Amino acid sequence: MAVKLQVEEELEQHFHPDSYGYRPNKSAHQALEKVRARCWKRAWVLDMDIKGFFDAIDHDLLMRAVEKHVKRRGH
């Protein structure tokens, strides 16, 4: 929680507005409402299984993103 409080404000601005997972002031219900609204505008739907999506994240790439976006206080 301490790390979240330190980095959340900075990192929030880099997320896509339609990203709802684990975001402040966003919920699964809001995501579903967006899906419902968009289903009436498009003739197609994507069905994906993302189980384990982050299980194999590239650690070096992740650390480069952290270094770029997380500022150390006092350094």
Side-chain angles (χ1 to χ4, degrees):
M1 181 54 83
V3 172
K4 176 187 179 289
L5 292 173
Q6 291 293 314
V7 302
E8 186 172 67
E9 184 178 343
E10 164 65 25
L11 295 181
E12 254 317 286
Q13 63 186 311
H14 300 285
F15 281 89
H16 191 280
D18 287 344
S19 174
Y20 288 87
Y22 306 101
R23 303 275 305 284
N25 305 312
K26 296 209 176 201
S27 70
H29 295 286
Q30 290 172 314
L32 288 172
E33 285 303 315
K34 184 68 76 171
V35 168
R36 282 188 191 108
R38 289 188 176 161
C39 281
W40 292 106
K41 295 180 180 180
R42 303 280 188 260
W44 49 269
V45 174
L46 293 179
D47 181 19
M48 297 172 32
D49 180 5
I50 60 169
K51 182 180 179 184
F53 187 75
F54 294 103
D55 290 351
I57 193 164
D58 183 324
H59 187 261
D60 291 330
L61 182 61
L62 174 63
M63 293 312 298
R64 285 197 314 248
V66 168
E67 288 172 4
K68 178 178 180 178
H69 296 292
V70 177
K71 310 296 183 246
R72 292 185 186 184
R73 290 186 179 178
H75 291 120

Coordinates of all heavy atoms in Angstrom, one line a residue:
M1 N 0.8 -1.2 0.0 CA 0.0 0.0 0.0 C 0.9 1.2 0.0 O 0.6 2.2 -0.7 CB -0.9 0.0 1.2 CG -1.9 1.2 1.3 SD -2.9 1.5 -0.2 CE -4.2 0.4 0.1
A2 N 2.0 1.2 0.7 CA 2.9 2.4 0.8 C 3.4 2.7 -0.6 O 3.5 3.9 -1.0 CB 4.0 2.1 1.7
V3 N 3.8 1.7 -1.4 CA 4.3 1.9 -2.7 C 3.2 2.4 -3.6 O 3.4 3.4 -4.4 CB 4.9 0.6 -3.3 CG1 5.3 0.8 -4.8 CG2 6.2 0.2 -2.5
K4 N 2.0 1.8 -3.5 CA 0.9 2.3 -4.3 C 0.6 3.8 -4.1 O 0.4 4.5 -5.1 CB -0.3 1.5 -3.9 CG -1.6 1.9 -4.6 CD -2.8 1.1 -4.1 CE -4.1 1.5 -4.7 NZ -4.6 2.8 -4.3
L5 N 0.6 4.2 -2.9 CA 0.4 5.6 -2.6 C 1.4 6.5 -3.1 O 1.1 7.6 -3.5 CB 0.2 5.8 -1.1 CG -1.0 5.1 -0.4 CD1 -0.9 5.2 1.1 CD2 -2.3 5.7 -0.9
Q6 N 2.6 6.0 -3.2 CA 3.7 6.8 -3.8 C 3.7 7.0 -5.3 O 4.1 8.0 -5.8 CB 5.1 6.2 -3.3 CG 5.4 6.3 -1.9 CD 5.6 7.8 -1.4 OE1 6.3 8.5 -2.1 NE2 4.9 8.2 -0.4
V7 N 3.3 5.9 -6.0 CA 3.4 5.9 -7.5 C 2.1 6.1 -8.2 O 2.1 6.4 -9.4 CB 4.2 4.7 -8.0 CG1 5.6 4.6 -7.3 CG2 3.4 3.4 -7.7
E8 N 1.0 5.8 -7.6 CA -0.3 5.8 -8.3 C -0.6 7.1 -9.0 O -1.0 7.0 -10.2 CB -1.4 5.5 -7.3 CG -2.7 5.3 -8.0 CD -3.8 4.8 -7.0 OE1 -4.1 5.6 -6.1 OE2 -4.2 3.7 -7.1
E9 N -0.4 8.2 -8.4 CA -0.8 9.5 -9.1 C 0.0 9.7 -10.4 O -0.5 10.0 -11.4 CB -0.6 10.6 -8.2 CG -1.0 12.0 -8.8 CD -0.9 13.1 -7.8 OE1 -0.7 12.9 -6.6 OE2 -0.9 14.3 -8.3
E10 N 1.3 9.4 -10.3 CA 2.2 9.5 -11.5 C 1.8 8.5 -12.6 O 1.7 8.9 -13.8 CB 3.6 9.4 -11.1 CG 4.6 9.1 -12.3 CD 4.7 10.3 -13.2 OE1 4.5 11.5 -12.8 OE2 5.0 10.1 -14.4
L11 N 1.6 7.3 -12.2 CA 1.3 6.3 -13.2 C -0.1 6.3 -13.8 O -0.3 5.9 -15.0 CB 1.6 4.9 -12.6 CG 3.0 4.6 -12.2 CD1 3.2 3.2 -11.6 CD2 4.0 4.8 -13.3
E12 N -1.0 6.8 -13.1 CA -2.4 6.9 -13.6 C -2.5 7.6 -14.9 O -3.3 7.2 -15.7 CB -3.3 7.6 -12.5 CG -4.2 6.8 -11.7 CD -5.0 5.7 -12.4 OE1 -5.9 6.0 -13.2 OE2 -4.6 4.6 -12.2
Q13 N -1.7 8.6 -15.1 CA -1.8 9.4 -16.3 C -1.4 8.7 -17.6 O -1.6 9.1 -18.7 CB -1.1 10.7 -16.2 CG 0.4 10.5 -16.0 CD 1.1 11.8 -15.7 OE1 0.9 12.8 -16.4 NE2 2.0 11.9 -14.6
H14 N -0.7 7.5 -17.4 CA -0.2 6.7 -18.5 C -1.1 5.6 -18.9 O -0.9 5.0 -20.0 CB 1.2 6.2 -18.2 CG 2.2 7.2 -17.9 ND1 2.8 8.0 -18.8 CD2 2.7 7.6 -16.7 CE1 3.6 8.9 -18.3 NE2 3.6 8.7 -17.0
F15 N -2.1 5.4 -18.2 CA -3.1 4.3 -18.5 C -4.1 4.8 -19.5 O -4.5 5.9 -19.5 CB -3.8 3.8 -17.2 CG -3.0 2.8 -16.4 CD1 -2.2 3.3 -15.4 CD2 -3.1 1.5 -16.6 CE1 -1.4 2.5 -14.6 CE2 -2.3 0.6 -15.8 CZ -1.5 1.1 -14.9
H16 N -4.6 3.9 -20.3 CA -5.7 4.2 -21.3 C -6.9 4.4 -20.5 O -7.2 3.8 -19.5 CB -5.8 3.0 -22.2 CG -6.7 3.3 -23.4 ND1 -8.1 3.3 -23.3 CD2 -6.4 3.7 -24.6 CE1 -8.6 3.6 -24.4 NE2 -7.6 3.9 -25.3
P17 N -7.7 5.4 -20.9 CA -9.0 5.7 -20.2 C -9.9 4.5 -20.1 O -10.8 4.5 -19.1 CB -9.6 6.9 -21.0 CG -8.6 7.4 -21.9 CD -7.5 6.3 -22.0
D18 N -9.8 3.6 -21.0 CA -10.7 2.4 -20.9 C -10.2 1.3 -20.2 O -10.7 0.2 -20.2 CB -11.1 2.0 -22.4 CG -12.0 2.9 -23.0 OD1 -12.7 3.7 -22.4 OD2 -12.1 2.9 -24.3
S19 N -9.1 1.5 -19.4 CA -8.5 0.5 -18.6 C -9.2 0.6 -17.2 O -9.2 1.6 -16.6 CB -7.0 0.7 -18.4 OG -6.5 -0.2 -17.5
Y20 N -9.8 -0.5 -16.8 CA -10.6 -0.5 -15.5 C -10.1 -1.3 -14.4 O -10.5 -1.2 -13.3 CB -12.1 -0.9 -15.8 CG -12.8 0.1 -16.6 CD1 -12.8 0.1 -18.0 CD2 -13.6 1.1 -16.0 CE1 -13.5 1.1 -18.7 CE2 -14.3 2.0 -16.7 CZ -14.2 2.0 -18.1 OH -14.9 3.0 -18.8
G21 N -9.2 -2.3 -14.7 CA -8.7 -3.2 -13.7 C -7.8 -2.5 -12.6 O -6.8 -1.9 -13.0
Y22 N -8.2 -2.6 -11.4 CA -7.4 -2.2 -10.3 C -7.0 -0.7 -10.4 O -5.9 -0.3 -10.1 CB -6.1 -3.0 -10.1 CG -6.4 -4.5 -10.0 CD1 -6.3 -5.3 -11.1 CD2 -6.9 -5.0 -8.8 CE1 -6.6 -6.7 -11.0 CE2 -7.2 -6.4 -8.7 CZ -7.0 -7.2 -9.8 OH -7.3 -8.5 -9.7
R23 N -8.0 0.1 -10.9 CA -7.8 1.5 -11.0 C -8.6 2.3 -10.0 O -9.7 1.9 -9.7 CB -8.2 2.0 -12.4 CG -7.5 1.3 -13.6 CD -6.2 1.9 -14.0 NE -6.2 3.3 -14.3 CZ -6.7 3.8 -15.4 NH1 -7.2 3.0 -16.3 NH2 -6.7 5.1 -15.6
P24 N -8.1 3.4 -9.5 CA -8.9 4.2 -8.5 C -10.1 4.8 -9.2 O -10.0 5.3 -10.4 CB -7.9 5.3 -8.1 CG -6.8 5.4 -9.1 CD -6.8 4.0 -9.8
N25 N -11.2 4.8 -8.6 CA -12.4 5.4 -9.0 C -13.0 4.7 -10.3 O -13.7 5.3 -11.1 CB -12.3 6.9 -9.3 CG -11.8 7.6 -8.0 OD1 -12.3 7.3 -6.9 ND2 -10.8 8.4 -8.2
K26 N -12.6 3.4 -10.6 CA -13.1 2.7 -11.7 C -13.5 1.3 -11.2 O -12.9 0.8 -10.3 CB -12.0 2.5 -12.8 CG -11.6 3.9 -13.4 CD -11.2 3.7 -14.8 CE -11.0 5.1 -15.4 NZ -11.1 5.0 -16.9
S27 N -14.5 0.8 -11.8 CA -15.1 -0.5 -11.3 C -15.4 -1.4 -12.5 O -15.5 -1.0 -13.6 CB -16.3 -0.2 -10.5 OG -17.4 0.2 -11.3
A28 N -15.7 -2.7 -12.1 CA -16.1 -3.6 -13.1 C -17.5 -3.2 -13.7 O -17.8 -3.4 -14.8 CB -16.2 -5.0 -12.5
H29 N -18.3 -2.6 -12.8 CA -19.6 -2.2 -13.3 C -19.5 -1.1 -14.3 O -20.2 -1.1 -15.3 CB -20.5 -1.7 -12.1 CG -20.8 -2.8 -11.1 ND1 -21.7 -3.8 -11.4 CD2 -20.3 -3.0 -9.9 CE1 -21.8 -4.6 -10.3 NE2 -20.9 -4.2 -9.4
Q30 N -18.6 -0.2 -14.1 CA -18.3 0.9 -15.2 C -17.8 0.2 -16.5 O -18.2 0.7 -17.5 CB -17.3 1.9 -14.6 CG -17.8 2.7 -13.5 CD -16.7 3.6 -12.9 OE1 -15.7 3.1 -12.6 NE2 -17.0 4.9 -12.7
A31 N -17.0 -0.7 -16.3 CA -16.4 -1.4 -17.5 C -17.6 -2.1 -18.3 O -17.7 -2.0 -19.5 CB -15.4 -2.4 -17.2
L32 N -18.5 -2.7 -17.6 CA -19.6 -3.4 -18.2 C -20.5 -2.4 -18.9 O -21.0 -2.6 -20.0 CB -20.4 -4.2 -17.2 CG -19.7 -5.5 -16.8 CD1 -20.5 -6.1 -15.6 CD2 -19.5 -6.5 -17.9
E33 N -20.7 -1.3 -18.3 CA -21.6 -0.2 -18.9 C -20.9 0.3 -20.2 O -21.6 0.5 -21.2 CB -21.8 1.0 -17.9 CG -22.8 0.6 -16.8 CD -24.1 0.2 -17.4 OE1 -24.6 0.9 -18.3 OE2 -24.7 -0.8 -16.8
K34 N -19.6 0.4 -20.2 CA -18.9 0.9 -21.4 C -19.1 -0.2 -22.5 O -19.3 0.1 -23.7 CB -17.5 1.1 -21.1 CG -16.6 1.7 -22.2 CD -17.0 3.0 -22.6 CE -16.5 4.0 -21.7 NZ -16.6 5.4 -22.1
V35 N -19.0 -1.5 -22.1 CA -19.1 -2.6 -23.1 C -20.5 -2.5 -23.7 O -20.7 -2.7 -24.9 CB -18.8 -3.9 -22.4 CG1 -19.2 -5.1 -23.3 CG2 -17.3 -4.0 -22.1
R36 N -21.5 -2.4 -22.8 CA -22.9 -2.4 -23.3 C -23.1 -1.3 -24.3 O -23.7 -1.4 -25.3 CB -23.9 -2.2 -22.1 CG -24.1 -3.5 -21.3 CD -25.2 -3.3 -20.3 NE -25.2 -4.4 -19.4 CZ -24.8 -4.4 -18.1 NH1 -24.4 -3.2 -17.6 NH2 -24.8 -5.4 -17.4
A37 N -22.6 -0.1 -24.0 CA -22.8 1.1 -24.8 C -22.2 0.9 -26.2 O -22.7 1.2 -27.2 CB -22.3 2.3 -24.2
R38 N -21.0 0.3 -26.1 CA -20.2 0.1 -27.4 C -20.8 -1.1 -28.2 O -20.6 -1.0 -29.4 CB -18.7 -0.1 -27.1 CG -18.1 1.2 -26.6 CD -16.7 1.1 -26.5 NE -16.1 2.4 -26.2 CZ -15.0 2.6 -25.6 NH1 -14.2 1.6 -25.4 NH2 -14.5 3.8 -25.4
C39 N -21.4 -2.0 -27.6 CA -21.9 -3.2 -28.4 C -23.0 -2.7 -29.3 O -23.3 -3.3 -30.3 CB -22.5 -4.2 -27.4 SG -21.2 -5.3 -26.7
W40 N -23.7 -1.6 -29.0 CA -24.7 -1.1 -29.9 C -24.1 -0.3 -31.0 O -24.8 0.0 -32.0 CB -25.7 -0.2 -29.1 CG -26.5 -1.0 -28.1 CD1 -26.4 -1.0 -26.8 CD2 -27.5 -1.9 -28.4 NE1 -27.3 -1.9 -26.2 CE2 -28.0 -2.5 -27.2 CE3 -28.1 -2.4 -29.6 CZ2 -29.0 -3.4 -27.2 CZ3 -29.2 -3.3 -29.6 CH2 -29.6 -3.8 -28.3
K41 N -22.8 0.0 -31.0 CA -22.2 0.8 -32.0 C -21.4 0.0 -33.0 O -21.0 0.5 -34.0 CB -21.3 1.9 -31.4 CG -22.1 2.9 -30.5 CD -21.1 3.9 -29.9 CE -21.9 5.0 -29.1 NZ -21.0 6.0 -28.6
R42 N -21.0 -1.2 -32.6 CA -20.1 -2.0 -33.5 C -20.8 -3.3 -33.8 O -21.6 -3.8 -33.0 CB -18.8 -2.3 -32.7 CG -18.0 -1.0 -32.3 CD -17.3 -0.4 -33.5 NE -16.4 0.7 -33.0 CZ -16.7 2.0 -33.1 NH1 -17.8 2.3 -33.7 NH2 -15.9 2.9 -32.7
A43 N -20.4 -3.9 -34.9 CA -20.9 -5.2 -35.3 C -20.0 -6.3 -35.0 O -20.1 -7.4 -35.6 CB -21.2 -5.1 -36.9
W44 N -19.1 -6.1 -34.1 CA -18.1 -7.2 -33.7 C -17.8 -7.1 -32.2 O -18.0 -6.1 -31.6 CB -16.9 -7.1 -34.6 CG -16.2 -5.7 -34.6 CD1 -16.5 -4.7 -35.5 CD2 -15.3 -5.2 -33.6 NE1 -15.7 -3.6 -35.2 CE2 -15.0 -3.9 -34.1 CE3 -14.7 -5.7 -32.5 CZ2 -14.1 -3.1 -33.4 CZ3 -13.8 -4.9 -31.8 CH2 -13.5 -3.6 -32.3
V45 N -17.3 -8.3 -31.7 CA -17.0 -8.4 -30.3 C -15.7 -9.2 -30.2 O -15.5 -10.2 -31.0 CB -18.1 -9.1 -29.5 CG1 -17.6 -9.3 -28.1 CG2 -19.4 -8.3 -29.5
L46 N -14.8 -8.9 -29.4 CA -13.6 -9.7 -29.1 C -13.8 -10.5 -27.9 O -14.3 -10.0 -26.9 CB -12.4 -8.8 -28.8 CG -11.9 -7.9 -30.0 CD1 -10.7 -7.1 -29.5 CD2 -11.5 -8.8 -31.1
D47 N -13.5 -11.8 -27.9 CA -13.6 -12.7 -26.8 C -12.2 -13.2 -26.5 O -11.6 -13.9 -27.4 CB -14.5 -13.8 -27.1 CG -14.7 -14.8 -26.0 OD1 -14.4 -14.4 -24.8 OD2 -15.2 -15.9 -26.2
M48 N -11.6 -12.9 -25.4 CA -10.3 -13.3 -25.1 C -10.2 -13.9 -23.7 O -10.9 -13.5 -22.8 CB -9.4 -12.0 -25.1 CG -9.3 -11.4 -26.4 SD -8.4 -9.8 -26.5 CE -7.2 -9.9 -25.2
D49 N -9.3 -14.8 -23.5 CA -9.0 -15.4 -22.2 C -7.7 -14.9 -21.8 O -6.7 -15.2 -22.4 CB -9.0 -16.9 -22.3 CG -8.7 -17.6 -21.0 OD1 -8.6 -16.9 -19.9 OD2 -8.6 -18.8 -20.9
I50 N -7.7 -14.0 -20.7 CA -6.4 -13.4 -20.3 C -5.9 -14.0 -19.0 O -5.0 -13.5 -18.4 CB -6.5 -11.9 -20.2 CG1 -7.6 -11.5 -19.1 CG2 -6.9 -11.3 -21.5 CD1 -7.5 -10.1 -18.8
K51 N -6.4 -15.2 -18.7 CA -5.9 -15.9 -17.5 C -4.4 -16.1 -17.6 O -3.9 -16.6 -18.7 CB -6.6 -17.2 -17.3 CG -6.1 -18.0 -16.1 CD -6.8 -19.3 -15.9 CE -6.4 -20.0 -14.7 NZ -7.0 -21.3 -14.6
G52 N -3.6 -15.7 -16.7 CA -2.2 -15.9 -16.7 C -1.5 -14.8 -17.6 O -0.3 -15.0 -17.9
F53 N -2.2 -13.8 -18.0 CA -1.6 -12.8 -18.9 C -0.3 -12.2 -18.4 O 0.6 -11.9 -19.1 CB -2.7 -11.7 -19.2 CG -2.3 -10.7 -20.2 CD1 -2.3 -11.1 -21.6 CD2 -1.9 -9.4 -19.9 CE1 -2.0 -10.2 -22.6 CE2 -1.5 -8.5 -20.9 CZ -1.6 -8.9 -22.2
F54 N -0.3 -11.9 -17.1 CA 0.9 -11.3 -16.5 C 1.9 -12.3 -15.9 O 2.9 -11.9 -15.3 CB 0.5 -10.2 -15.5 CG -0.3 -9.1 -16.1 CD1 -1.6 -9.0 -16.0 CD2 0.4 -8.1 -16.8 CE1 -2.3 -7.9 -16.6 CE2 -0.3 -7.1 -17.4 CZ -1.6 -7.0 -17.3
D55 N 1.6 -13.5 -16.1 CA 2.5 -14.6 -15.4 C 3.9 -14.5 -16.0 O 4.9 -14.9 -15.4 CB 1.9 -16.0 -15.6 CG 0.7 -16.2 -14.7 OD1 0.4 -15.3 -13.9 OD2 0.0 -17.2 -14.9
A56 N 4.0 -14.2 -17.3 CA 5.3 -14.2 -17.9 C 5.8 -12.8 -18.4 O 6.5 -12.7 -19.4 CB 5.3 -15.1 -19.2
I57 N 5.5 -11.8 -17.6 CA 5.9 -10.4 -17.9 C 7.5 -10.4 -17.9 O 8.1 -11.0 -17.1 CB 5.3 -9.4 -17.0 CG1 5.4 -8.0 -17.5 CG2 5.8 -9.5 -15.6 CD1 4.5 -7.0 -16.9
D58 N 8.0 -9.6 -18.9 CA 9.4 -9.5 -19.0 C 9.9 -8.5 -17.9 O 9.6 -7.4 -17.8 CB 9.7 -8.8 -20.4 CG 11.2 -8.6 -20.6 OD1 12.0 -8.3 -19.7 OD2 11.6 -8.8 -21.8
H59 N 10.7 -9.1 -16.9 CA 11.1 -8.4 -15.7 C 12.0 -7.2 -16.1 O 11.8 -6.1 -15.5 CB 11.8 -9.3 -14.8 CG 12.2 -8.6 -13.5 ND1 13.4 -8.1 -13.2 CD2 11.4 -8.4 -12.4 CE1 13.4 -7.6 -12.0 NE2 12.2 -7.8 -11.5
D60 N 12.9 -7.3 -17.1 CA 13.7 -6.2 -17.5 C 12.9 -5.1 -18.1 O 13.1 -3.9 -17.8 CB 14.8 -6.7 -18.5 CG 15.8 -7.6 -17.9 OD1 16.1 -7.5 -16.7 OD2 16.3 -8.5 -18.6
L61 N 11.9 -5.4 -18.9 CA 11.0 -4.4 -19.5 C 10.2 -3.7 -18.3 O 10.1 -2.5 -18.3 CB 10.1 -5.0 -20.5 CG 9.1 -4.1 -21.2 CD1 9.9 -3.1 -22.0 CD2 8.2 -4.9 -22.1
L62 N 9.7 -4.5 -17.4 CA 9.0 -3.9 -16.3 C 9.9 -2.9 -15.5 O 9.5 -1.8 -15.1 CB 8.5 -5.0 -15.4 CG 7.8 -4.6 -14.1 CD1 6.5 -3.8 -14.4 CD2 7.5 -5.8 -13.2
M63 N 11.1 -3.3 -15.2 CA 12.0 -2.5 -14.4 C 12.4 -1.2 -15.2 O 12.5 -0.1 -14.6 CB 13.2 -3.2 -14.0 CG 12.9 -4.4 -13.0 SD 11.9 -3.9 -11.6 CE 12.9 -2.6 -10.8
R64 N 12.5 -1.3 -16.5 CA 12.8 -0.1 -17.3 C 11.6 0.9 -17.2 O 11.8 2.1 -17.1 CB 13.1 -0.4 -18.7 CG 14.5 -1.0 -18.9 CD 14.9 -1.0 -20.4 NE 13.9 -1.5 -21.3 CZ 14.0 -2.6 -22.0 NH1 15.1 -3.3 -21.9 NH2 13.1 -2.9 -22.9
A65 N 10.4 0.4 -17.2 CA 9.2 1.2 -17.1 C 9.1 1.8 -15.7 O 8.8 3.0 -15.6 CB 7.9 0.4 -17.3
V66 N 9.5 1.1 -14.7 CA 9.5 1.6 -13.3 C 10.5 2.8 -13.2 O 10.2 3.8 -12.7 CB 9.8 0.5 -12.3 CG1 10.1 1.1 -10.9 CG2 8.6 -0.4 -12.2
E67 N 11.7 2.5 -13.8 CA 12.8 3.6 -13.7 C 12.3 4.8 -14.5 O 12.6 5.9 -14.0 CB 14.1 3.0 -14.3 CG 14.7 2.0 -13.4 CD 15.9 1.3 -14.0 OE1 16.3 1.7 -15.2 OE2 16.5 0.4 -13.4
K68 N 11.6 4.7 -15.6 CA 11.2 5.8 -16.3 C 10.1 6.6 -15.7 O 10.1 7.8 -15.7 CB 10.7 5.3 -17.7 CG 10.2 6.5 -18.6 CD 9.8 6.0 -20.0 CE 9.3 7.2 -20.8 NZ 8.9 6.8 -22.1
H69 N 9.1 5.9 -15.0 CA 8.0 6.6 -14.5 C 7.9 6.8 -13.0 O 7.1 7.6 -12.6 CB 6.7 5.8 -14.9 CG 6.5 5.7 -16.4 ND1 6.2 6.9 -17.2 CD2 6.6 4.7 -17.3 CE1 6.1 6.5 -18.4 NE2 6.3 5.2 -18.5
V70 N 8.8 6.2 -12.3 CA 8.8 6.4 -10.8 C 10.0 7.2 -10.4 O 11.1 6.8 -10.6 CB 8.7 5.0 -10.1 CG1 8.8 5.2 -8.6 CG2 7.5 4.2 -10.5
K71 N 9.7 8.3 -9.8 CA 10.8 9.2 -9.4 C 11.1 8.9 -8.0 O 10.3 8.8 -7.1 CB 10.3 10.7 -9.5 CG 9.7 11.1 -10.9 CD 10.7 10.9 -12.0 CE 10.1 11.4 -13.3 NZ 9.9 10.4 -14.3
R72 N 12.4 8.9 -7.7 CA 12.9 8.7 -6.3 C 12.9 10.0 -5.6 O 13.5 11.0 -6.1 CB 14.3 8.1 -6.3 CG 14.4 6.7 -6.8 CD 15.7 6.1 -6.6 NE 15.9 4.8 -7.2 CZ 17.0 4.1 -7.1 NH1 18.0 4.6 -6.5 NH2 17.0 2.9 -7.7
R73 N 12.4 10.1 -4.5 CA 12.4 11.3 -3.7 C 13.8 11.4 -3.0 O 14.3 10.4 -2.5 CB 11.3 11.3 -2.6 CG 10.0 11.4 -3.2 CD 8.9 11.5 -2.2 NE 7.6 11.7 -2.8 CZ 6.5 11.8 -2.2 NH1 6.5 11.8 -0.9 NH2 5.4 11.9 -2.8
G74 N 14.3 12.6 -3.0 CA 15.6 12.9 -2.4 C 16.8 12.5 -3.2 O 18.0 12.6 -2.8
H75 N 16.6 12.1 -4.5 CA 17.7 11.7 -5.4 C 17.7 12.6 -6.6 O 16.8 13.0 -7.1 CB 17.6 10.2 -5.9 CG 17.8 9.3 -4.7 ND1 16.9 8.4 -4.4 CD2 18.9 9.1 -3.9 CE1 17.3 7.7 -3.4 NE2 18.5 8.1 -3.1

